[in-house]
Amino acid sequence: MQSTDLGNKESGKIWHRKPSPATRDGIIVNIIHSTSDYHPKVLRFLNVAFDGSGDCLIAGDHQGNIYVFDLHGNRFNLVQRTAQACTALAFNLRRKSEFLVALADYSIKCFDTVTKELVSWMRGHESSVFSISVHASGRYAITTSSDTAQLWDLDTFQRKRKLNIRQSVGIQKVFFLPLSNTIISCFKDNSIFAWECDTLFCKYQLPAPPESSSILYKVFAVTRDGRILAAGGKSNHLHLWCLEATQLFRIIQMPTKVRAIRHLEFLPDSFDAGSNQVLGVLSQDGIMRFVNIQTCKLLFEIGSLDEGISSSVISPHGRYIASVMENGSLNIYSVQALTHEINKPPPPLVKVIEDLPKNKLSSSDLKMKITSGRVQQPAKSREGKIQTRILKQDLMGNFENKENELSDGLNKKRLQILLKGYGEYPTKYRMFIWRSLLQLPENHTAFSSLIDKGTHVAFLNLQKKYPIKSRKLLRVLQRTLSALAHWSAIFSDTPYLPLLAFPFVKLFQNNQLICFEVVATLIINWCQYWFEYFPNPPINILSMIENVLAFHDKELLQHFIDHDVTSQLYAWPLLETVFSEVLTREEWLKLFDNIFSNHPSFLLMTVVAYNICSRSPLLHCTLKDDFEYFFHHRNNLDISVVIREVYHLMEITPAHIHPESELEVFVALTKGQYPVFNQYPKFIVDYQTQERERIRNDELDYLRERQTVEDMQAEVDQQRVKDEAWYQKQELLRKAEETRREMLLQEEEKIVEQRQRLAAVKRELKIKEIQLQDAARRRFLKLQQDQREMELQRLDDEIERKVQMRDREIASTAKDLEMRHLELETQKRLYEKNLTKNQEAVAKAIQEDADAYRRKVDLEDHMFHKVIEADQTQSRETQKIIEDSLAKAEQACLNTDWKIRTLHKQQCDDLHRSAGYQEVAALLQKNRRKEMEVLNAMMEKDAEKWKEAEEKDFHLKSEKKASALSDASRKWFLKQEMSAALEHAENPFIQEARRLQNEQVASSCFPRTSRLNDISEMGSSAQISLNRKTEWDGMEQNLIKKVRNLRQRLTAQARNRCQTPHLLAT
């Protein structure tokens, strides 16, 4: 074990001789940092973190010194002095030279390892930050303290979100799932939530662990594919959660020596496609034990009781383990050395004995033949010369074939020998061998940038064209195709790309990066010149296949030609699906073991060999559909025979038609960034892209319109359903109403029968009651008759006294009449003014009264039925009251008869006055008839003048004035007549005056007053005071005189107007 003391050096080598870690402890180097001051002391390392490549790590001590250790370049550098202890580190940012460090003052700083300058300073935490988790793209970071977690944007170094919690529930850890947009938050109450990074939408919550093995979680770890979460705490139990099913699927019990778990870390493996199986468990005794979570076996352990481990970090590729020891030093472990005995492959069954060289070769100029693509014999170049390379001999006397040496210590020629012996690679190591043969760079950053662009528009509806049952497989296929389309635009328009990539997606579905790089390597090398005739099939490649087939089997080619079968039918289906349709999984893997181990032309030769080996069934096919079916379905063919035939064709095919002479040698993908792929006609792809975009926009418009129509149809259907439900409800209500109506009718019939019986009983009781009341009434009437006779005598005396008083009041009433006349004149003018307004008000009031009457009638009809029953209960009391009222009415009739006899004398006096009034009324009727004749003459004259007015405008205006004067005079006359009629309305003998008054009031919408037609109706007016009658007698005489004079004047004026109308008009 080597040990390195950093001392006061700012840079230097990590180790001075090549490390050779022992299998027992696996330590590559032990790094300590001591000072050479007056009192030397050791500075303890606190935190360590690897970068994205896994070959560099960063470490910080308790004084704030931060070092970068390049394990690949064997260098260390002091990049920053923060002057305070660091609490957390992160080195896997998007910009490779930048790192994050959380300091003791609760702040987070970003530094650059190259310029050693401060990039940003982020504040916001109120307690120590103990965890920094970086998104797979390196764009976001989550910093966690005991009271809060904050999400940062590392492009702008601004805080995006902040997670606040109650003081009673602390935060254990918040981190990103690897290669995912999911955030896992773990709290001290054992609750674990998963959130979407972009929207912070809660995707799911893990249920509580079973009570039988309930532990308080302290530490967590997640596999690289993000499917398994390991959790532990103050117990020797480990809980393994399946995040896809959100359930606890396994509990692992550690040895009894383990009482608490301080740290968990999964060990990455290049062959497990991200589903890590080895888990490192750091316990309280400072020993980190690595166990297999599937077999639950202890594989190896690091650290000891004397040299305990404080914290540990494993590199992303799983080659190194960096551990901070309890004594403050830093140990770097080699995983390969620790797992050497575990992963030791079985001894080979085939041993190769090589011949010794016949001639001794000098170490300075040794030549060796290197095949560029052939399996056994060296191939000639286009010029026919053998390619040679000069290899220099190293110090140990061994020679290194640079072209055959692969990464991870493999040799291509040895793999070919192994493949020729067994026919295929071991299943356990096949993926590792493929990755070594293809020399995959594993560009995580470049691949993440392609994935971050999202799903390509060309593959949004991939499930419609390729309905894959597995949702995960469909999602991985969609992401891989989208990454290829973002890498090069040609792949978004390539129709057979899903068929080409699907077998590799299915094989590498747990590691999308490897899947993408395998497909990209296949396209660059084994699909050379496929896109020169895009969008048509590669005619040049198919021509090569046809030339080789014509050379080796002319009969079969002629058979194809005779039946119109071209290379697009017998060769292209095999190429575009890379034989996945015609071979089983094991056969396909065996075939591609040989394809990836040989020159790219091997794939084209496989197509020829497949046709030659199938010549017997193909020669028996005569229909084109049979040929098409044959090359799209599995056939009874041994793939080992086909592979041997391919090797045979590779050897015997002449160089001038051999595809090897046309295709380039294998070229691996570049590390860091993927190469530009533009081997296609760009103008065609651009035009198709534009057309596809236009068609997509049209389709989106159509889909929007169809969605609108479907929404409208859904609304119509919904409304129809509502209507049907409403009609059904109404029908049920109608039936229920009919049922209730029948029940009510039955109840009413019962009630009617009961009422009839009750009415019969009431009639019997009423008859008896009437008989008793009749006897009582007769006795009461006798008493009342005696009292009335006494009252009549008293009234006779009272009448005589009032007659005397009337004579005295006549004199005073005469004066009052004069004042009353003046008041009547004034009231008459006011009445004329308000007459028009009152007419409108009365009409409106009549209409309102009518409406109110209708409402009242409706209300009374509604209330009538309710009152009937109440009236029936009160009918007995009401009858008693009516009978008492009837007795009183009879008494009142007797009293009224007595009063009529007393007033008979007064009416005789009034008859004399009435005779005079009748004479006046007769005169008035005569005058009215004369006036009507005059008015008729005037109307005839007016009609003539109106005819003349049509011809002359001046006469028209004059006639209008004349007509207006005539109308005014008539109105005034009618008003006078109306006043006179109203004055005499109470006189029962002026019949004609009453008739005129009623006609005038009816024409002006006034309510009529009932006339007294006989002497009996005037009985009610006999009670008017005698003073009031005296007033009316004087007024009648004066008004008759005034009416007579007024009529005379009106008659004279009418005659004058009829004689000289033109004078009146002026």
Side-chain angles (χ1 to χ4, degrees):
M1 178 184 70
Q2 298 188 54
S3 182
T4 301
D5 188 358
L6 302 181
N8 294 326
K9 295 182 290 185
E10 294 187 356
S11 63
K13 291 185 177 181
I14 303 175
W15 52 77
H16 297 280
R17 66 179 183 274
K18 187 176 181 179
S20 56
T23 306
R24 179 180 57 82
D25 54 10
I27 299 177
I28 299 176
V29 64
N30 172 253
I31 302 172
I32 60 175
H33 186 198
S34 61
T35 59
S36 57
D37 298 335
Y38 182 75
H39 296 289
K41 61 179 179 178
V42 176
L43 300 181
R44 294 179 294 104
F45 285 102
L46 298 178
N47 291 281
V48 64
F50 278 95
D51 67 349
S53 65
D55 292 330
C56 290
L57 62 92
I58 188 171
D61 58 25
H62 71 276
Q63 284 192 352
N65 300 313
I66 299 176
Y67 290 87
V68 172
F69 298 92
D70 185 0
L71 302 180
H72 183 72
N74 189 24
R75 298 290 298 177
F76 73 87
N77 289 285
L78 176 65
V79 295
Q80 196 58 237
R81 299 180 189 270
T82 61
Q84 52 183 326
C86 63
T87 58
L89 289 171
F91 197 21
N92 53 340
L93 308 186
R94 174 179 291 186
R95 292 174 287 275
K96 301 303 180 182
S97 60
E98 295 179 359
F99 65 92
L100 294 176
V101 55
L103 302 175
D105 61 352
Y106 312 151
S107 65
I108 302 101
K109 293 184 179 180
C110 180
F111 293 100
D112 193 297
T113 58
V114 177
T115 61
K116 300 182 181 180
E117 294 180 353
L118 176 65
V119 178
S120 179
W121 192 351
M122 296 175 284
R123 292 181 177 272
H125 284 277
E126 297 180 357
S127 59
S128 178
V129 176
F130 56 78
S131 172
I132 300 177
S133 177
V134 181
H135 190 264
S137 63
R139 181 179 177 183
Y140 303 107
I142 295 178
T143 57
T144 308
S145 60
S146 59
D147 57 349
T148 184
Q150 300 185 16
L151 177 63
W152 303 88
D153 188 341
L154 298 183
D155 289 339
T156 61
F157 294 100
Q158 299 293 325
R159 183 174 63 192
K160 295 188 64 179
R161 295 295 177 92
K162 181 179 180 181
L163 173 64
N164 292 318
I165 60 171
R166 297 194 303 268
Q167 294 180 357
S168 59
V169 181
I171 298 177
Q172 288 287 10
K173 190 174 183 181
V174 181
F175 56 93
F176 286 104
L177 285 183
L179 304 176
S180 173
N181 280 335
T182 303
I183 299 175
I184 298 294
S185 60
C186 310
F187 301 95
K188 291 184 179 179
D189 60 353
N190 275 15
S191 59
I192 300 175
F193 294 86
W195 312 84
E196 184 66 31
C197 176
D198 298 330
T199 61
L200 292 184
F201 173 76
C202 183
K203 299 173 67 175
Y204 56 84
Q205 178 186 2
L206 296 183
E211 296 181 358
S212 60
S213 179
S214 179
I215 59 176
L216 191 62
Y217 295 152
K218 294 289 186 181
V219 289
F220 306 88
V222 182
T223 57
R224 193 177 181 188
D225 58 2
R227 300 176 64 183
I228 298 176
L229 171 69
K234 291 184 178 181
S235 172
N236 64 343
H237 285 186
L238 278 175
H239 287 187
L240 299 181
W241 293 86
C242 178
L243 297 182
E244 290 183 345
T246 64
Q247 64 181 0
L248 181 68
F249 73 94
R250 183 167 299 161
I251 299 176
I252 300 176
Q253 183 176 1
M254 298 297 292
T256 56
K257 294 181 291 184
V258 177
R259 298 189 303 272
I261 299 175
R262 294 165 53 186
H263 183 70
L264 292 175
E265 188 91 14
F266 276 98
L267 180 62
D269 192 348
S270 301
F271 310 113
D272 57 11
S275 57
N276 310 134
Q277 304 297 320
V278 180
L279 176 63
V281 182
L282 178 61
S283 57
Q284 86 288 345
D285 55 4
I287 299 175
M288 191 167 189
R289 298 170 175 85
F290 288 84
V291 297
N292 190 304
I293 62 175
Q294 297 297 332
T295 62
C296 297
K297 292 183 179 180
L298 179 63
L299 303 180
F300 61 92
E301 58 185 29
I302 57 176
S304 62
L305 295 176
D306 297 332
E307 296 181 358
I309 297 175
S310 175
S311 63
S312 186
V313 179
I314 303 176
S315 64
H317 50 50
R319 297 178 185 173
Y320 305 109
I321 302 175
S323 299
V324 177
M325 311 304 291
E326 292 179 349
N327 58 10
S329 63
L330 181 64
N331 280 0
I332 308 297
Y333 296 89
S334 172
V335 177
Q336 185 178 2
L338 293 170
T339 60
H340 178 72
E341 294 296 332
I342 303 173
N343 296 331
K344 186 176 182 181
L349 299 179
V350 178
K351 300 295 184 180
V352 179
I353 299 175
E354 298 181 357
D355 295 333
L356 294 174
K358 296 180 180 179
N359 298 324
K360 293 183 179 180
L361 302 176
S362 63
S363 61
S364 61
D365 189 12
L366 180 65
K367 292 186 178 181
M368 181 177 179
K369 296 181 180 178
I370 304 298
T371 60
S372 59
R374 298 295 181 87
V375 177
Q376 295 177 350
Q377 297 180 357
K380 295 182 179 180
S381 63
R382 296 181 183 180
E383 292 81 4
K385 297 181 179 180
I386 298 176
Q387 298 179 358
T388 60
R389 289 188 181 179
I390 299 176
L391 300 180
K392 293 184 179 180
Q393 188 177 10
D394 59 9
L395 299 176
M396 301 299 294
N398 297 326
F399 299 97
E400 185 179 7
N401 188 338
K402 296 294 184 181
E403 186 169 337
N404 289 323
E405 287 296 328
L406 302 174
S407 59
D408 300 319
L410 299 180
N411 185 279
K412 185 174 182 180
K413 192 160 187 68
R414 292 181 180 178
L415 289 175
Q416 289 175 348
I417 295 172
L418 179 64
L419 180 63
K420 190 152 185 74
Y422 289 96
E424 60 180 332
Y425 293 127
T427 304
K428 183 178 180 180
Y429 300 103
R430 175 178 279 120
M431 299 299 104
F432 171 69
I433 295 173
W434 281 17
R435 291 168 64 177
S436 300
L437 288 172
L438 300 178
Q439 303 177 26
L440 301 181
E442 298 187 21
N443 298 327
H444 292 275
T445 305
F447 179 70
S448 297
S449 64
L450 294 176
I451 291 296
D452 291 342
K453 294 180 180 180
T455 304
H456 198 275
V457 294
F459 305 107
L460 287 175
N461 299 321
L462 184 66
Q463 68 276 8
K464 294 181 180 179
K465 190 174 181 181
Y466 300 98
I468 302 174
K469 184 177 181 181
S470 173
R471 300 289 298 174
K472 177 184 178 182
L473 188 60
L474 176 63
R475 184 169 61 253
V476 174
L477 177 62
Q478 194 175 38
R479 289 181 179 177
T480 303
L481 296 178
S482 299
L484 290 170
H486 291 309
W487 176 40
S488 180
I490 182 66
F491 299 125
S492 62
D493 299 324
T494 306
Y496 55 86
L497 185 63
L499 301 175
L500 182 71
F502 179 74
F504 298 98
V505 171
K506 192 172 183 179
L507 189 62
F508 298 99
Q509 58 181 319
N510 293 324
N511 194 330
Q512 300 178 32
L513 171 64
I514 300 301
C515 177
F516 171 79
E517 292 186 348
V518 168
V519 176
T521 305
L522 177 71
I523 292 173
I524 291 177
N525 294 280
W526 282 270
C527 299
Q528 297 181 35
Y529 309 116
W530 280 27
F531 307 99
E532 291 186 352
Y533 294 90
F534 184 81
N536 300 314
I539 307 300
N540 50 350
I541 300 298
L542 298 179
S543 299
M544 295 181 194
I545 296 174
E546 189 170 353
N547 293 336
V548 176
L549 182 62
F551 179 81
H552 294 286
D553 198 336
K554 294 182 180 179
E555 180 184 358
L556 180 60
L557 180 61
Q558 187 61 39
H559 180 70
F560 286 154
I561 295 173
D562 294 341
H563 294 87
D564 195 20
V565 176
T566 63
S567 57
Q568 296 186 18
L569 185 57
Y570 67 79
W572 181 237
L574 301 176
L575 290 176
E576 66 179 356
T577 62
V578 287
F579 293 90
S580 61
E581 286 185 346
V582 297
L583 298 177
T584 63
R585 175 186 174 88
E586 291 73 16
E587 292 174 346
W588 187 85
L589 292 173
K590 187 174 182 180
L591 174 62
F592 268 85
D593 285 343
N594 292 271
I595 291 176
F596 285 154
S597 301
N598 290 280
H599 191 269
S601 60
F602 193 90
L603 178 62
L604 305 184
M605 286 297 189
T606 305
V607 176
V608 178
Y610 188 85
N611 282 270
I612 293 175
C613 294
S614 306
R615 69 189 311 274
S616 178
L618 289 174
L619 291 175
H620 287 84
C621 294
T622 57
L623 298 178
K624 196 170 183 179
D625 292 340
D626 295 340
F627 287 103
E628 186 174 356
Y629 181 86
F630 183 87
F631 290 104
H632 283 281
H633 294 80
R634 295 176 182 175
N635 303 294
N636 188 15
L637 188 64
D638 187 2
I639 192 62
S640 300
V641 176
V642 177
I643 294 174
R644 286 197 298 270
E645 181 65 24
V646 174
Y647 282 109
H648 178 67
L649 295 177
M650 292 285 288
E651 295 175 1
I652 66 174
T653 302
H656 66 281
I657 62 172
H658 202 294
E660 180 184 5
S661 61
E662 301 294 336
L663 300 179
E664 302 293 335
V665 296
F666 174 81
V667 177
L669 295 176
T670 56
K671 193 172 183 61
Q673 293 293 333
Y674 296 115
V676 177
F677 187 82
N678 55 3
Q679 300 175 6
Y680 58 88
K682 191 173 184 301
F683 68 95
I684 295 178
V685 175
D686 294 342
Y687 174 75
Q688 288 190 351
T689 303
Q690 294 174 1
E691 287 297 311
R692 185 175 290 102
E693 185 68 21
R694 182 184 62 79
I695 293 171
R696 190 177 67 86
N697 293 332
D698 295 341
E699 185 178 1
L700 290 176
D701 295 339
Y702 165 73
L703 291 176
R704 282 193 293 268
E705 294 177 359
R706 189 176 69 179
Q707 184 64 31
T708 304
V709 173
E710 290 178 355
D711 293 342
M712 294 174 63
Q713 183 65 30
E715 292 179 0
V716 171
D717 295 340
Q718 186 178 4
Q719 186 63 34
R720 184 170 65 251
V721 171
K722 289 182 179 179
D723 293 342
E724 291 178 357
W726 185 83
Y727 285 126
Q728 292 176 358
K729 185 177 180 181
Q730 295 299 320
E731 182 66 20
L732 293 175
L733 291 175
R734 185 184 63 79
K735 292 180 179 179
E737 186 177 0
E738 291 179 355
T739 305
R740 291 186 179 88
R741 188 180 292 110
E742 292 176 356
M743 295 172 61
L744 290 174
L745 289 175
Q746 294 175 0
E747 293 294 330
E748 287 178 358
E749 290 176 357
K750 295 179 181 178
I751 292 172
V752 168
E753 293 176 357
Q754 293 176 359
R755 286 178 179 176
Q756 288 177 356
R757 291 193 297 269
L758 183 62
V761 175
K762 287 182 178 180
R763 279 196 299 272
E764 295 176 357
L765 294 175
K766 189 174 182 181
I767 290 171
K768 294 179 180 179
E769 186 178 0
I770 289 173
Q771 291 175 356
L772 294 174
Q773 289 178 355
D774 188 30
R777 185 177 61 82
R778 282 194 297 270
R779 288 194 300 270
F780 180 76
L781 287 176
K782 184 68 173 64
L783 178 63
Q784 291 293 328
Q785 186 175 3
D786 296 338
Q787 291 179 355
R788 259 187 248 109
E789 291 176 356
M790 294 175 63
E791 186 69 21
L792 286 173
Q793 184 63 36
R794 187 183 64 79
L795 289 175
D796 289 339
D797 297 339
E798 185 69 21
I799 289 171
E800 290 178 359
R801 187 180 62 81
K802 288 184 178 181
V803 169
Q804 293 175 0
M805 291 177 64
R806 185 183 64 177
D807 294 337
R808 288 193 299 268
E809 290 176 356
I810 289 174
S812 60
T813 305
K815 296 180 181 180
D816 293 338
L817 283 175
E818 293 180 359
M819 295 300 296
R820 181 63 179 169
H821 178 69
L822 296 176
E823 291 177 358
L824 290 174
E825 289 293 334
T826 304
Q827 290 177 358
K828 181 180 67 176
R829 292 184 179 90
L830 292 174
Y831 176 76
E832 291 175 355
K833 180 178 180 181
N834 297 328
L835 181 60
T836 305
K837 296 180 181 179
N838 292 336
Q839 289 176 352
E840 296 178 356
V842 169
K844 187 181 294 184
I846 291 171
Q847 183 64 31
E848 292 176 353
D849 292 341
D851 295 339
Y853 175 75
R854 285 194 298 271
R855 291 192 297 270
K856 184 183 71 174
V857 169
D858 295 337
L859 182 61
E860 290 176 354
D861 291 341
H862 177 71
M863 296 176 62
F864 176 74
H865 299 287
K866 297 181 179 180
V867 175
I868 288 174
E869 296 180 0
D871 290 343
Q872 290 177 355
T873 58
Q874 298 178 359
S875 60
R876 188 176 301 170
E877 289 81 1
T878 305
Q879 287 177 359
K880 292 180 181 181
I881 295 171
I882 291 172
E883 290 174 356
D884 295 340
S885 178
L886 180 60
K888 293 179 181 180
E890 290 178 356
Q891 182 64 35
C893 290
L894 294 175
N895 294 335
T896 304
D897 293 339
W898 175 77
K899 290 179 181 180
I900 290 173
R901 286 195 301 271
T902 59
L903 292 175
H904 185 68
K905 295 179 182 180
Q906 295 179 3
Q907 291 176 359
C908 292
D909 295 336
D910 293 337
L911 287 175
H912 295 290
R913 278 197 310 273
S914 298
Y917 292 158
Q918 289 177 357
E919 292 178 359
V920 173
L923 293 175
L924 288 173
Q925 289 178 358
K926 292 179 181 179
N927 290 333
R928 288 192 187 98
R929 286 194 294 270
K930 291 181 181 180
E931 288 176 359
M932 290 300 295
E933 293 175 358
V934 172
L935 290 174
N936 291 334
M938 291 173 63
M939 292 299 293
E940 293 176 357
K941 195 65 177 181
D942 288 340
E944 294 177 358
K945 293 299 179 181
W946 276 108
K947 291 181 181 178
E948 293 178 0
E950 291 178 358
E951 299 176 356
K952 299 179 181 179
D953 296 337
F954 179 76
H955 291 93
L956 177 61
K957 296 178 182 179
S958 300
E959 287 301 325
K960 285 182 178 180
K961 293 179 180 180
S963 178
L965 292 174
S966 176
D967 293 338
S969 64
R970 285 197 304 275
K971 289 180 181 179
W972 181 82
F973 173 73
L974 293 173
K975 289 178 182 179
Q976 292 291 350
E977 289 297 322
M978 181 182 66
S979 300
L982 290 172
E983 293 290 339
H984 297 82
E986 297 298 327
N987 193 343
F989 300 102
I990 306 176
Q991 299 294 334
E992 185 63 21
R994 169 67 77 180
R995 183 181 62 80
L996 293 175
Q997 179 186 3
N998 291 334
E999 291 176 356
Q1000 184 177 7
V1001 173
S1003 63
S1004 62
C1005 300
F1006 277 89
R1008 295 185 179 181
T1009 59
S1010 59
R1011 293 178 297 177
L1012 301 175
N1013 296 323
D1014 52 10
I1015 297 174
S1016 62
E1017 293 179 357
M1018 291 184 59
S1020 61
S1021 63
Q1023 298 178 1
I1024 302 175
S1025 65
L1026 297 174
N1027 294 332
R1028 192 69 176 168
K1029 289 189 176 185
T1030 305
E1031 294 177 1
W1032 285 115
D1033 293 341
M1035 289 177 62
E1036 286 174 357
Q1037 296 177 0
N1038 294 330
L1039 288 174
I1040 290 171
K1041 291 180 182 180
K1042 290 180 180 181
V1043 168
R1044 188 180 294 111
N1045 295 331
L1046 178 61
R1047 287 179 177 175
Q1048 291 176 358
R1049 289 196 301 272
L1050 290 174
T1051 304
Q1053 291 177 1
R1055 290 194 187 101
N1056 293 331
R1057 283 197 301 271
C1058 293
Q1059 293 175 359
T1060 57
H1062 60 279
L1063 295 176
L1064 292 173
T1066 58

